[in-house]
Amino acid sequence: MNSYQINHLQSYKEKNKNRARFLIQCHDRQGIVAAVSQFLFEHDANIIDSKQYTLDPEGGEFFMRIEFECANLENQKGVLEKDFQQVAEKFNMSWKLMYVEQFKNMAIFVSKEVHCLLELLWEWQSGDLMGNIALVISNHENAREIVESHGIPFYYIPANKDIRNEVEEEQKKLLQEYNVDVVILARYMQILTPEFVKHFENRLINIHHSFLPAFIGANPYKRAYQRGVKMIGATSHYVTNDLDEGPIIEQDIERVSHEDNEADLKKIGQSIERSVLARAVKWHLEDRILVHENKTIIF
Amino acid sequence: MNSYQINHLQSYKEKNKNRARFLIQCHDRQGIVAAVSQFLFEHDANIIDSKQYTLDPEGGEFFMRIEFECANLENQKGVLEKDFQQVAEKFNMSWKLMYVEQFKNMAIFVSKEVHCLLELLWEWQSGDLMGNIALVISNHENAREIVESHGIPFYYIPANKDIRNEVEEEQKKLLQEYNVDVVILARYMQILTPEFVKHFENRLINIHHSFLPAFIGANPYKRAYQRGVKMIGATSHYVTNDLDEGPIIEQDIERVSHEDNEADLKKIGQSIERSVLARAVKWHLEDRILVHENKTIIF
Amino acid sequence: MNSYQINHLQSYKEKNKNRARFLIQCHDRQGIVAAVSQFLFEHDANIIDSKQYTLDPEGGEFFMRIEFECANLENQKGVLEKDFQQVAEKFNMSWKLMYVEQFKNMAIFVSKEVHCLLELLWEWQSGDLMGNIALVISNHENAREIVESHGIPFYYIPANKDIRNEVEEEQKKLLQEYNVDVVILARYMQILTPEFVKHFENRLINIHHSFLPAFIGANPYKRAYQRGVKMIGATSHYVTNDLDEGPIIEQDIERVSHEDNEADLKKIGQSIERSVLARAVKWHLEDRILVHENKTIIF
Amino acid sequence: MNSYQINHLQSYKEKNKNRARFLIQCHDRQGIVAAVSQFLFEHDANIIDSKQYTLDPEGGEFFMRIEFECANLENQKGVLEKDFQQVAEKFNMSWKLMYVEQFKNMAIFVSKEVHCLLELLWEWQSGDLMGNIALVISNHENAREIVESHGIPFYYIPANKDIRNEVEEEQKKLLQEYNVDVVILARYMQILTPEFVKHFENRLINIHHSFLPAFIGANPYKRAYQRGVKMIGATSHYVTNDLDEGPIIEQDIERVSHEDNEADLKKIGQSIERSVLARAVKWHLEDRILVHENKTIIF
């Protein structure tokens, strides 16, 4: 980590040391917002931002992200968590309380193509990704230099499908050692086992180089070229054990024309992949994403 | 109004007869959301949608739009309005309570070019603009047939700058007679007097055929062509007495190239104007727009 | 046809009475452009616009659209066509010579949803679609009034899969009677027989309400909603006998969010469908589209 | 330059060693395309790509970019240039013959904000910018490490308006020494003298952080925030001595909302600046830009 990045972090943490966020989900009924906002008022917290969504207004599912500021938060944490338990029980809520200052630890998995990794390093270094890049794991050596030049540990773990379990053992040991919260597959071209995927449910972010659900699977640019589409896209999603079928976080597209050959589509697409993945990771780090029935709610 | 449109209206009104919205603005402080949501809870109302925004989290301005459903709303109106007065006073709020079923009355002003008018008629007929088009006023006759074929009164009032006051007298009489809430300048090419503008503050929507603040004033497509821009746009805004300087509601753009001459820009631009104005009007009718210091907050 | 539209047509035809276009396709080799441009020079024609594309520069397929102006074109047609035969033979070209003034006759097929039809009527009336809308055929009555009010013949032909052949007989008779060049399926919800499709190869334009190849087949908005995509789209393509697999002419998309339910997606999508289909039809009428191996080249 | 980049270059140069491009401009008349394509045919050249544009079909200005392949180009250069002189004289053409293999030498000027510089380094390293980054000049030291790590010379030349002439003397000496063809102002915050600008006419590319002609001059993001625009943009243009009024090469925009404060606009804008400048530089390096009367034609 360079001094530039350290400054970003310190000023960010200082600014946010009294900030926290509730992520809430429950069946909709009258009084939820009143109860939550009353709770915050009674605990001397000021609401900074609040977003909510009800899946189907007639008695459906209710989702909320509410960010607040609370003087002397460090010492209030225990009280907040304990007291909120009562509110949560009343409405049978699933809930999380996240402290803004507590950064998430990311692990980035990458294979040969490094454009998505570089974008994440870039955004992170510029202070746009507020989290720790704890380590980078790759089945190729070519990203080592750039990663280590950022002061980030780089681990080369060769991988292929025959040694999948051994590889994942090694990876999981590292993820545990670095206390990793979220794994980012920045064009990591290996399939992960169902156990691994399950363990990181809704914490395993992939970038797929097509506008899903078009071109699920291998070689999407080649197939896009062959189909003669007039736009190509990229999709970031949480990984599930159905290939490319997990909850979509973000998508984007660019226009292409008959003049663009397969290599052109790939170039254009890489630029889309970079920005789509970076947005998805950013939203995850900021606790903006709730998952419900294989879809995301983005607050 | 045809039977298609009448069906839309009836089903919409039936569906929304118990729905209302608060629009709230005040200085930010702790407890606002708690008070409002507690108020709704106590009045047996269910929050359907709630959006809020604080201009500057450190003690700035607070804005809120909260839509709710309340059984037997028709008979609750008096109580709601009276009781909310206490909440409002406590926080020194500006506020409005809007009943979804009560449609706003629109007047559309148009000159020779009818594309924006036609888009509004189209959206209205398709059930996308939930309001009444009370009347259309034009300084040309060419839109009469299409307007009257929709069962909407059409008034031809010739206009030029020498007779501005007389023209506006006639217009104002009609606007009063039809009980008009919002005036839409759908490419109406006459300047309005400061008195008229003042009277319809934040209720007078214009479409300007450029990406403001570029090309303020006359002939924006011609000037865009001469400048050689690579994108053209359109802007919908509330009219103030500074030409094209009022609060921007919505903007959009399209790419153009050196192959597009001035006439092409105009064609491309008309399509942008249509959709930008339609969105702005829709948001106004749905009470999604708050104005603060010459800017809009769009909920 | 109203007087407004008639004026458009007359001024357009007058302006273009000496204009024509070659559409050329052949194997690439040296000298093609030289031969074509030399031919035009010798026939006293001035090139107005010329676009070309070579599929694979190393000896691939060559495509060209060249528009030119030639004094007294009416009397030159025979000579041009006869003389160009020699150029064409030398390079083994497929070619067409199209006279700009000779409008194509369109038939529009529509079912219950009329938004695409209305867009085409609108564009046509505004002078943006330079062709004749010869007739509209529908398996519902609801578009009759609007179609006939434009002076366009409307035919109601009830349809279902059991009477497909009889229905198509009737349709084909009308298409022949009106000398139709291109059939536009503006949300016509009936499957056509392979014979019909074959007969109108590359002259049968469909709008599909998804971003193909995502959501091929029925209910794309419903499936898009269920999949939780963050963008929806529409695709216009020439119809082949592989459902939704024909050569793509144009696509576009809009962003959606978790707040948009299925009905919202449909509304947003209709607006995309309208503009995508209108562009595809426009390009077809202007002879801008060449088809090669299930892909389009758009000049 | 790393081995990765060297490989890109070598394969590119090898592939293109027989390729060249004519850029042509003259008054339009019959026979230009015939003459140029006949010339290429006679010199055994195969047209790879050809684009043309006539400003006003009725006797206006004609522009052409024609790329071709010619066996043994190295030895043909003299003949091509000499023989084309006759064609050019006949039509009174301005023309340039560019050999694809001969890379342009770029100088990048940068101040404190390095995001545009980094994007160019990134694109260059990935083989997307086919030119030489000959040197980087900055009035700050902070980009030195990253620039030198790419093997590119970095020169720190402190600058302010009082020493403008001395600074430019030093800069010009370096530009001459490195044989620089094009200067890129990648957020270089110093005004250049009219002499400097004149010397690099149509070879001096700037990125301005607004959607020109909106927000000409200083602090565009601040002013965009104050104006309450709903989209922000960036513009790349050739520099002239009218501030931000030179020929526009490329523009792009992104949506913003009332939730975005000035710092947010800046972040969002930086991403637009990066891609807009990179596209402009790419097109310049590929000889795709012709300038005519303060506008660009982009082929």
PDB file of all heavy atoms in Angstrom, chain B residues 206-233:
ATOM      1  N   ASN B 206     -41.125  23.031 -19.404  1.00  0.00           N
ATOM      2  CA  ASN B 206     -40.702  23.310 -20.780  1.00  0.00           C
ATOM      3  C   ASN B 206     -39.791  22.201 -21.282  1.00  0.00           C
ATOM      4  O   ASN B 206     -39.150  21.504 -20.506  1.00  0.00           O
ATOM      5  CB  ASN B 206     -39.922  24.635 -20.818  1.00  0.00           C
ATOM      6  CG  ASN B 206     -39.593  25.075 -22.238  1.00  0.00           C
ATOM      7  OD1 ASN B 206     -40.419  24.935 -23.143  1.00  0.00           O
ATOM      8  ND2 ASN B 206     -38.390  25.573 -22.441  1.00  0.00           N
ATOM      9  N   ILE B 207     -39.755  22.042 -22.606  1.00  0.00           N
ATOM     10  CA  ILE B 207     -38.740  21.181 -23.226  1.00  0.00           C
ATOM     11  C   ILE B 207     -37.857  22.090 -24.073  1.00  0.00           C
ATOM     12  O   ILE B 207     -38.347  22.826 -24.926  1.00  0.00           O
ATOM     13  CB  ILE B 207     -39.377  20.059 -24.077  1.00  0.00           C
ATOM     14  CG1 ILE B 207     -38.306  19.185 -24.736  1.00  0.00           C
ATOM     15  CG2 ILE B 207     -40.349  20.595 -25.125  1.00  0.00           C
ATOM     16  CD1 ILE B 207     -37.612  18.256 -23.793  1.00  0.00           C
ATOM     17  N   HIS B 208     -36.557  22.046 -23.782  1.00  0.00           N
ATOM     18  CA  HIS B 208     -35.620  22.818 -24.607  1.00  0.00           C
ATOM     19  C   HIS B 208     -34.810  21.848 -25.449  1.00  0.00           C
ATOM     20  O   HIS B 208     -34.327  20.838 -24.944  1.00  0.00           O
ATOM     21  CB  HIS B 208     -34.692  23.668 -23.730  1.00  0.00           C
ATOM     22  CG  HIS B 208     -33.774  24.526 -24.554  1.00  0.00           C
ATOM     23  ND1 HIS B 208     -34.212  25.619 -25.261  1.00  0.00           N
ATOM     24  CD2 HIS B 208     -32.448  24.441 -24.802  1.00  0.00           C
ATOM     25  CE1 HIS B 208     -33.201  26.176 -25.902  1.00  0.00           C
ATOM     26  NE2 HIS B 208     -32.110  25.480 -25.641  1.00  0.00           N
ATOM     27  N   HIS B 209     -34.647  22.191 -26.722  1.00  0.00           N
ATOM     28  CA  HIS B 209     -34.037  21.231 -27.643  1.00  0.00           C
ATOM     29  C   HIS B 209     -32.514  21.324 -27.676  1.00  0.00           C
ATOM     30  O   HIS B 209     -31.906  21.371 -28.730  1.00  0.00           O
ATOM     31  CB  HIS B 209     -34.648  21.300 -29.039  1.00  0.00           C
ATOM     32  CG  HIS B 209     -34.991  22.670 -29.541  1.00  0.00           C
ATOM     33  ND1 HIS B 209     -35.585  23.640 -28.780  1.00  0.00           N
ATOM     34  CD2 HIS B 209     -34.816  23.217 -30.771  1.00  0.00           C
ATOM     35  CE1 HIS B 209     -35.774  24.710 -29.519  1.00  0.00           C
ATOM     36  NE2 HIS B 209     -35.307  24.490 -30.704  1.00  0.00           N
ATOM     37  N   SER B 210     -31.930  21.331 -26.483  1.00  0.00           N
ATOM     38  CA  SER B 210     -30.480  21.160 -26.377  1.00  0.00           C
ATOM     39  C   SER B 210     -30.157  20.569 -25.023  1.00  0.00           C
ATOM     40  O   SER B 210     -30.997  20.519 -24.134  1.00  0.00           O
ATOM     41  CB  SER B 210     -29.733  22.485 -26.537  1.00  0.00           C
ATOM     42  OG  SER B 210     -29.693  23.176 -25.302  1.00  0.00           O
ATOM     43  N   PHE B 211     -28.907  20.158 -24.894  1.00  0.00           N
ATOM     44  CA  PHE B 211     -28.392  19.642 -23.654  1.00  0.00           C
ATOM     45  C   PHE B 211     -27.950  20.847 -22.813  1.00  0.00           C
ATOM     46  O   PHE B 211     -26.792  21.240 -22.855  1.00  0.00           O
ATOM     47  CB  PHE B 211     -27.209  18.731 -23.975  1.00  0.00           C
ATOM     48  CG  PHE B 211     -26.691  17.976 -22.795  1.00  0.00           C
ATOM     49  CD1 PHE B 211     -27.246  16.763 -22.441  1.00  0.00           C
ATOM     50  CD2 PHE B 211     -25.638  18.479 -22.055  1.00  0.00           C
ATOM     51  CE1 PHE B 211     -26.755  16.071 -21.355  1.00  0.00           C
ATOM     52  CE2 PHE B 211     -25.149  17.786 -20.962  1.00  0.00           C
ATOM     53  CZ  PHE B 211     -25.706  16.586 -20.617  1.00  0.00           C
ATOM     54  N   LEU B 212     -28.874  21.407 -22.052  1.00  0.00           N
ATOM     55  CA  LEU B 212     -28.556  22.608 -21.273  1.00  0.00           C
ATOM     56  C   LEU B 212     -27.464  22.309 -20.254  1.00  0.00           C
ATOM     57  O   LEU B 212     -27.401  21.192 -19.734  1.00  0.00           O
ATOM     58  CB  LEU B 212     -29.810  23.114 -20.549  1.00  0.00           C
ATOM     59  CG  LEU B 212     -30.850  23.766 -21.456  1.00  0.00           C
ATOM     60  CD1 LEU B 212     -32.101  24.141 -20.653  1.00  0.00           C
ATOM     61  CD2 LEU B 212     -30.302  24.988 -22.161  1.00  0.00           C
ATOM     62  N   PRO B 213     -26.584  23.288 -19.951  1.00  0.00           N
ATOM     63  CA  PRO B 213     -26.625  24.676 -20.383  1.00  0.00           C
ATOM     64  C   PRO B 213     -25.950  24.947 -21.718  1.00  0.00           C
ATOM     65  O   PRO B 213     -25.637  26.106 -22.008  1.00  0.00           O
ATOM     66  CB  PRO B 213     -25.881  25.387 -19.254  1.00  0.00           C
ATOM     67  CG  PRO B 213     -24.870  24.396 -18.812  1.00  0.00           C
ATOM     68  CD  PRO B 213     -25.518  23.053 -18.963  1.00  0.00           C
ATOM     69  N   ALA B 214     -25.704  23.942 -22.530  1.00  0.00           N
ATOM     70  CA  ALA B 214     -25.201  24.222 -23.876  1.00  0.00           C
ATOM     71  C   ALA B 214     -26.356  24.733 -24.735  1.00  0.00           C
ATOM     72  O   ALA B 214     -27.477  24.253 -24.609  1.00  0.00           O
ATOM     73  CB  ALA B 214     -24.606  22.966 -24.496  1.00  0.00           C
ATOM     74  N   PHE B 215     -26.084  25.697 -25.583  1.00  0.00           N
ATOM     75  CA  PHE B 215     -27.050  26.190 -26.561  1.00  0.00           C
ATOM     76  C   PHE B 215     -28.347  26.702 -25.938  1.00  0.00           C
ATOM     77  O   PHE B 215     -29.444  26.328 -26.346  1.00  0.00           O
ATOM     78  CB  PHE B 215     -27.343  25.107 -27.609  1.00  0.00           C
ATOM     79  CG  PHE B 215     -26.105  24.530 -28.225  1.00  0.00           C
ATOM     80  CD1 PHE B 215     -25.817  23.173 -28.128  1.00  0.00           C
ATOM     81  CD2 PHE B 215     -25.194  25.350 -28.869  1.00  0.00           C
ATOM     82  CE1 PHE B 215     -24.664  22.639 -28.675  1.00  0.00           C
ATOM     83  CE2 PHE B 215     -24.027  24.819 -29.419  1.00  0.00           C
ATOM     84  CZ  PHE B 215     -23.768  23.472 -29.323  1.00  0.00           C
ATOM     85  N   ILE B 216     -28.197  27.537 -24.930  1.00  0.00           N
ATOM     86  CA  ILE B 216     -29.335  28.297 -24.413  1.00  0.00           C
ATOM     87  C   ILE B 216     -29.880  29.165 -25.534  1.00  0.00           C
ATOM     88  O   ILE B 216     -29.127  29.673 -26.349  1.00  0.00           O
ATOM     89  CB  ILE B 216     -28.868  29.173 -23.221  1.00  0.00           C
ATOM     90  CG1 ILE B 216     -28.599  28.278 -22.002  1.00  0.00           C
ATOM     91  CG2 ILE B 216     -29.862  30.277 -22.908  1.00  0.00           C
ATOM     92  CD1 ILE B 216     -27.985  29.012 -20.834  1.00  0.00           C
ATOM     93  N   GLY B 217     -31.216  29.318 -25.568  1.00  0.00           N
ATOM     94  CA  GLY B 217     -31.807  30.258 -26.501  1.00  0.00           C
ATOM     95  C   GLY B 217     -32.180  29.664 -27.842  1.00  0.00           C
ATOM     96  O   GLY B 217     -32.485  28.479 -27.934  1.00  0.00           O
ATOM     97  N   ALA B 218     -32.141  30.483 -28.869  1.00  0.00           N
ATOM     98  CA  ALA B 218     -32.711  30.105 -30.160  1.00  0.00           C
ATOM     99  C   ALA B 218     -31.804  29.186 -30.969  1.00  0.00           C
ATOM    100  O   ALA B 218     -30.587  29.182 -30.800  1.00  0.00           O
ATOM    101  CB  ALA B 218     -33.020  31.367 -30.966  1.00  0.00           C
ATOM    102  N   ASN B 219     -32.421  28.411 -31.841  1.00  0.00           N
ATOM    103  CA  ASN B 219     -31.721  27.626 -32.855  1.00  0.00           C
ATOM    104  C   ASN B 219     -30.645  26.682 -32.335  1.00  0.00           C
ATOM    105  O   ASN B 219     -29.531  26.619 -32.876  1.00  0.00           O
ATOM    106  CB  ASN B 219     -31.084  28.567 -33.886  1.00  0.00           C
ATOM    107  CG  ASN B 219     -32.130  29.334 -34.650  1.00  0.00           C
ATOM    108  OD1 ASN B 219     -33.150  28.768 -35.021  1.00  0.00           O
ATOM    109  ND2 ASN B 219     -31.887  30.607 -34.849  1.00  0.00           N
ATOM    110  N   PRO B 220     -30.926  25.923 -31.304  1.00  0.00           N
ATOM    111  CA  PRO B 220     -29.877  25.055 -30.760  1.00  0.00           C
ATOM    112  C   PRO B 220     -29.352  24.006 -31.741  1.00  0.00           C
ATOM    113  O   PRO B 220     -28.170  23.689 -31.716  1.00  0.00           O
ATOM    114  CB  PRO B 220     -30.548  24.394 -29.549  1.00  0.00           C
ATOM    115  CG  PRO B 220     -31.989  24.675 -29.667  1.00  0.00           C
ATOM    116  CD  PRO B 220     -32.149  25.903 -30.482  1.00  0.00           C
ATOM    117  N   TYR B 221     -30.216  23.466 -32.601  1.00  0.00           N
ATOM    118  CA  TYR B 221     -29.701  22.440 -33.527  1.00  0.00           C
ATOM    119  C   TYR B 221     -28.730  23.052 -34.531  1.00  0.00           C
ATOM    120  O   TYR B 221     -27.707  22.460 -34.858  1.00  0.00           O
ATOM    121  CB  TYR B 221     -30.851  21.724 -34.250  1.00  0.00           C
ATOM    122  CG  TYR B 221     -31.669  20.863 -33.331  1.00  0.00           C
ATOM    123  CD1 TYR B 221     -33.053  20.952 -33.285  1.00  0.00           C
ATOM    124  CD2 TYR B 221     -31.046  19.940 -32.483  1.00  0.00           C
ATOM    125  CE1 TYR B 221     -33.798  20.161 -32.425  1.00  0.00           C
ATOM    126  CE2 TYR B 221     -31.790  19.151 -31.613  1.00  0.00           C
ATOM    127  CZ  TYR B 221     -33.157  19.267 -31.583  1.00  0.00           C
ATOM    128  OH  TYR B 221     -33.893  18.492 -30.724  1.00  0.00           O
ATOM    129  N   LYS B 222     -29.093  24.222 -34.995  1.00  0.00           N
ATOM    130  CA  LYS B 222     -28.202  24.916 -35.934  1.00  0.00           C
ATOM    131  C   LYS B 222     -26.847  25.172 -35.285  1.00  0.00           C
ATOM    132  O   LYS B 222     -25.788  24.922 -35.870  1.00  0.00           O
ATOM    133  CB  LYS B 222     -28.844  26.238 -36.334  1.00  0.00           C
ATOM    134  CG  LYS B 222     -28.057  27.003 -37.373  1.00  0.00           C
ATOM    135  CD  LYS B 222     -28.798  28.285 -37.748  1.00  0.00           C
ATOM    136  CE  LYS B 222     -28.136  28.902 -38.974  1.00  0.00           C
ATOM    137  NZ  LYS B 222     -29.016  29.911 -39.570  1.00  0.00           N
ATOM    138  N   ARG B 223     -26.895  25.637 -34.040  1.00  0.00           N
ATOM    139  CA  ARG B 223     -25.638  25.948 -33.360  1.00  0.00           C
ATOM    140  C   ARG B 223     -24.874  24.669 -33.007  1.00  0.00           C
ATOM    141  O   ARG B 223     -23.638  24.641 -33.065  1.00  0.00           O
ATOM    142  CB  ARG B 223     -25.928  26.782 -32.124  1.00  0.00           C
ATOM    143  CG  ARG B 223     -26.334  28.227 -32.517  1.00  0.00           C
ATOM    144  CD  ARG B 223     -27.263  28.862 -31.498  1.00  0.00           C
ATOM    145  NE  ARG B 223     -26.610  29.044 -30.228  1.00  0.00           N
ATOM    146  CZ  ARG B 223     -27.251  29.114 -29.054  1.00  0.00           C
ATOM    147  NH1 ARG B 223     -28.581  28.976 -29.009  1.00  0.00           N
ATOM    148  NH2 ARG B 223     -26.593  29.311 -27.956  1.00  0.00           N
ATOM    149  N   ALA B 224     -25.595  23.617 -32.675  1.00  0.00           N
ATOM    150  CA  ALA B 224     -24.924  22.335 -32.400  1.00  0.00           C
ATOM    151  C   ALA B 224     -24.222  21.840 -33.661  1.00  0.00           C
ATOM    152  O   ALA B 224     -23.089  21.345 -33.613  1.00  0.00           O
ATOM    153  CB  ALA B 224     -25.938  21.299 -31.910  1.00  0.00           C
ATOM    154  N   TYR B 225     -24.906  21.999 -34.792  1.00  0.00           N
ATOM    155  CA  TYR B 225     -24.297  21.582 -36.052  1.00  0.00           C
ATOM    156  C   TYR B 225     -23.040  22.396 -36.343  1.00  0.00           C
ATOM    157  O   TYR B 225     -21.994  21.852 -36.692  1.00  0.00           O
ATOM    158  CB  TYR B 225     -25.306  21.736 -37.195  1.00  0.00           C
ATOM    159  CG  TYR B 225     -24.718  21.415 -38.531  1.00  0.00           C
ATOM    160  CD1 TYR B 225     -24.354  20.105 -38.847  1.00  0.00           C
ATOM    161  CD2 TYR B 225     -24.494  22.411 -39.478  1.00  0.00           C
ATOM    162  CE1 TYR B 225     -23.788  19.796 -40.077  1.00  0.00           C
ATOM    163  CE2 TYR B 225     -23.926  22.104 -40.709  1.00  0.00           C
ATOM    164  CZ  TYR B 225     -23.575  20.807 -40.999  1.00  0.00           C
ATOM    165  OH  TYR B 225     -22.991  20.495 -42.206  1.00  0.00           O
ATOM    166  N   GLN B 226     -23.162  23.700 -36.149  1.00  0.00           N
ATOM    167  CA  GLN B 226     -22.013  24.561 -36.429  1.00  0.00           C
ATOM    168  C   GLN B 226     -20.844  24.274 -35.491  1.00  0.00           C
ATOM    169  O   GLN B 226     -19.690  24.365 -35.886  1.00  0.00           O
ATOM    170  CB  GLN B 226     -22.430  26.033 -36.317  1.00  0.00           C
ATOM    171  CG  GLN B 226     -23.272  26.475 -37.505  1.00  0.00           C
ATOM    172  CD  GLN B 226     -23.947  27.820 -37.292  1.00  0.00           C
ATOM    173  OE1 GLN B 226     -24.027  28.321 -36.172  1.00  0.00           O
ATOM    174  NE2 GLN B 226     -24.446  28.398 -38.371  1.00  0.00           N
ATOM    175  N   ARG B 227     -21.149  23.912 -34.255  1.00  0.00           N
ATOM    176  CA  ARG B 227     -20.078  23.635 -33.300  1.00  0.00           C
ATOM    177  C   ARG B 227     -19.432  22.272 -33.526  1.00  0.00           C
ATOM    178  O   ARG B 227     -18.348  22.003 -33.028  1.00  0.00           O
ATOM    179  CB  ARG B 227     -20.639  23.721 -31.861  1.00  0.00           C
ATOM    180  CG  ARG B 227     -19.623  23.488 -30.755  1.00  0.00           C
ATOM    181  CD  ARG B 227     -18.520  24.527 -30.773  1.00  0.00           C
ATOM    182  NE  ARG B 227     -17.435  24.223 -29.833  1.00  0.00           N
ATOM    183  CZ  ARG B 227     -16.357  23.510 -30.163  1.00  0.00           C
ATOM    184  NH1 ARG B 227     -16.217  23.038 -31.385  1.00  0.00           N
ATOM    185  NH2 ARG B 227     -15.418  23.292 -29.275  1.00  0.00           N
ATOM    186  N   GLY B 228     -20.150  21.417 -34.264  1.00  0.00           N
ATOM    187  CA  GLY B 228     -19.571  20.103 -34.533  1.00  0.00           C
ATOM    188  C   GLY B 228     -19.595  19.160 -33.343  1.00  0.00           C
ATOM    189  O   GLY B 228     -18.678  18.365 -33.157  1.00  0.00           O
ATOM    190  N   VAL B 229     -20.641  19.238 -32.530  1.00  0.00           N
ATOM    191  CA  VAL B 229     -20.727  18.330 -31.384  1.00  0.00           C
ATOM    192  C   VAL B 229     -20.950  16.893 -31.862  1.00  0.00           C
ATOM    193  O   VAL B 229     -21.445  16.667 -32.960  1.00  0.00           O
ATOM    194  CB  VAL B 229     -21.871  18.726 -30.416  1.00  0.00           C
ATOM    195  CG1 VAL B 229     -21.579  20.067 -29.778  1.00  0.00           C
ATOM    196  CG2 VAL B 229     -23.204  18.731 -31.135  1.00  0.00           C
ATOM    197  N   LYS B 230     -20.605  15.934 -31.010  1.00  0.00           N
ATOM    198  CA  LYS B 230     -20.740  14.527 -31.365  1.00  0.00           C
ATOM    199  C   LYS B 230     -21.950  13.898 -30.681  1.00  0.00           C
ATOM    200  O   LYS B 230     -22.194  12.690 -30.803  1.00  0.00           O
ATOM    201  CB  LYS B 230     -19.465  13.775 -30.994  1.00  0.00           C
ATOM    202  CG  LYS B 230     -18.214  14.267 -31.737  1.00  0.00           C
ATOM    203  CD  LYS B 230     -18.338  14.119 -33.254  1.00  0.00           C
ATOM    204  CE  LYS B 230     -17.052  14.542 -33.971  1.00  0.00           C
ATOM    205  NZ  LYS B 230     -17.228  14.551 -35.436  1.00  0.00           N
ATOM    206  N   MET B 231     -22.672  14.698 -29.915  1.00  0.00           N
ATOM    207  CA  MET B 231     -23.900  14.252 -29.270  1.00  0.00           C
ATOM    208  C   MET B 231     -24.840  15.448 -29.188  1.00  0.00           C
ATOM    209  O   MET B 231     -24.388  16.561 -28.938  1.00  0.00           O
ATOM    210  CB  MET B 231     -23.615  13.788 -27.846  1.00  0.00           C
ATOM    211  CG  MET B 231     -22.824  12.522 -27.803  1.00  0.00           C
ATOM    212  SD  MET B 231     -22.467  12.056 -26.099  1.00  0.00           S
ATOM    213  CE  MET B 231     -22.343  10.286 -26.334  1.00  0.00           C
ATOM    214  N   ILE B 232     -26.115  15.196 -29.389  1.00  0.00           N
ATOM    215  CA  ILE B 232     -27.082  16.264 -29.153  1.00  0.00           C
ATOM    216  C   ILE B 232     -28.045  15.806 -28.074  1.00  0.00           C
ATOM    217  O   ILE B 232     -28.181  14.618 -27.806  1.00  0.00           O
ATOM    218  CB  ILE B 232     -27.853  16.660 -30.422  1.00  0.00           C
ATOM    219  CG1 ILE B 232     -28.563  15.448 -31.010  1.00  0.00           C
ATOM    220  CG2 ILE B 232     -26.919  17.303 -31.437  1.00  0.00           C
ATOM    221  CD1 ILE B 232     -29.589  15.839 -32.049  1.00  0.00           C
ATOM    222  N   GLY B 233     -28.740  16.767 -27.471  1.00  0.00           N
ATOM    223  CA  GLY B 233     -29.593  16.410 -26.360  1.00  0.00           C
ATOM    224  C   GLY B 233     -30.831  17.273 -26.271  1.00  0.00           C
ATOM    225  O   GLY B 233     -31.078  18.155 -27.095  1.00  0.00           O
TER     226      GLY B 233
END
